[in-house]
Every structure is written in structure tokens, then in C-alpha cells.
Amino acid sequence: MDAANVKSLHDSMRKYGIPGILTPVDPQNQSGAWRVVDPVDQRDITDDVVARVAAADRRQPTRGFVTAG
């Protein structure tokens, strides 16, 4: 994942309550590649988090009102 996607992924993680810490792969290059690490054991969980965010984005509301905008 590159730096352009970090804010969007971070916002989605917060929205859906998905844990993880976004960090640059190379701390000296903030505009390069980024990853998501587990806050407990610091292992790379980028693929899992991206999949969970994508699945949460596809979910449809199951209750409430849906209005056409």
C-alpha cells in the first residue's frame, strides 16, 4: 500500500473499529510503501486489514431506513 492510500484506510479502520497501526515500511521514506502492524506483536497484518475493510464497505444496512440521495 502506498502513502496515497493511508488516510483512506486509516479512516475506514476507525469507522469499522478495526485495530492496527499504520507505519511506513521504511521510516525514512514517508512517501513510500506503508503497512499495517498488529498493535500487540508488531506482525504485518496489512492483507487482513485491507480485506476486512473491503468486506465492511460492501455490507448493506440490515435495519433502518434507506433513502435515495
Side-chain angles (χ1 to χ4, degrees):
M1 163 182 52
D2 62 13
N5 301 341
V6 171
K7 178 159 179 18
S8 175
L9 182 61
H10 181 257
D11 291 345
S12 293
M13 289 169 64
R14 289 182 59 202
K15 177 179 177 182
Y16 300 121
I18 300 171
I21 300 170
L22 288 154
T23 61
V25 172
D26 176 7
Q28 303 301 319
N29 183 11
Q30 299 272 325
S31 63
W34 284 64
R35 65 183 172 189
V36 183
V37 295
D38 186 291
V40 176
D41 61 12
Q42 301 301 306
R43 66 187 167 86
D44 187 341
I45 57 171
T46 304
D47 293 337
D48 294 334
V49 169
V50 170
R52 288 180 65 189
V53 166
D57 283 340
R58 286 190 304 266
R59 265 187 247 137
Q60 297 293 320
T62 57
R63 296 184 61 170
F65 294 97
V66 177
T67 60

